[in-house]
Amino acid sequence: MSGFARAFLKGGAGAFVGPLWSVGDRPAQTFVESFYVALLNGLSLSEATNLARSSARESGDATWLAYTVYGHPFLKLESSFCIGNERAKDYTVDV
């Protein structure tokens, strides 16, 4: 486990997501958007990670391999999670 991941998890974070090497803004955006929308739609940490890696791979950038996720694979966001006034169930994933 890398230094940043260890520090965040020891500090109480439920999960850590980060690249193993530097990635460009556009590939990072593809991964992150897919990952968090999947979590907001009720997928587990492992399912969201796999979906996000697939989305990044399909975008044609090899950095989809860079992303590492530490946390319980079945972790899910609580259903009471909200962004602003919108509930998580209001978000969709385009696959």
Side-chain angles (χ1 to χ4, degrees):
M1 185 177 340
S2 70
F4 278 124
R6 181 177 289 119
F8 276 89
L9 295 172
K10 271 187 128 176
F16 177 85
V17 179
L20 294 172
W21 60 83
S22 182
V23 297
D25 290 344
R26 181 82 50 190
Q29 180 180 359
T30 299
F31 179 88
V32 169
E33 285 179 351
S34 296
F35 179 76
Y36 285 107
V37 168
L39 284 177
L40 289 169
N41 280 299
L43 273 64
S44 69
L45 186 64
S46 61
E47 293 168 326
T49 301
N50 289 333
L51 180 70
R53 284 182 180 150
S54 293
S55 295
R57 183 177 57 238
E58 290 169 8
S59 74
D61 193 283
T63 61
W64 68 273
L65 294 165
Y67 299 97
T68 183
V69 179
Y70 295 99
H72 193 285
F74 300 122
L75 178 139
K76 289 188 176 188
L77 295 179
E78 294 181 11
S79 61
S80 61
F81 181 78
C82 294
I83 296 178
N85 293 326
E86 300 177 50
R87 297 194 59 82
K89 65 179 178 56
D90 296 331
Y91 290 84
T92 59
V93 179
D94 294 330
V95 181

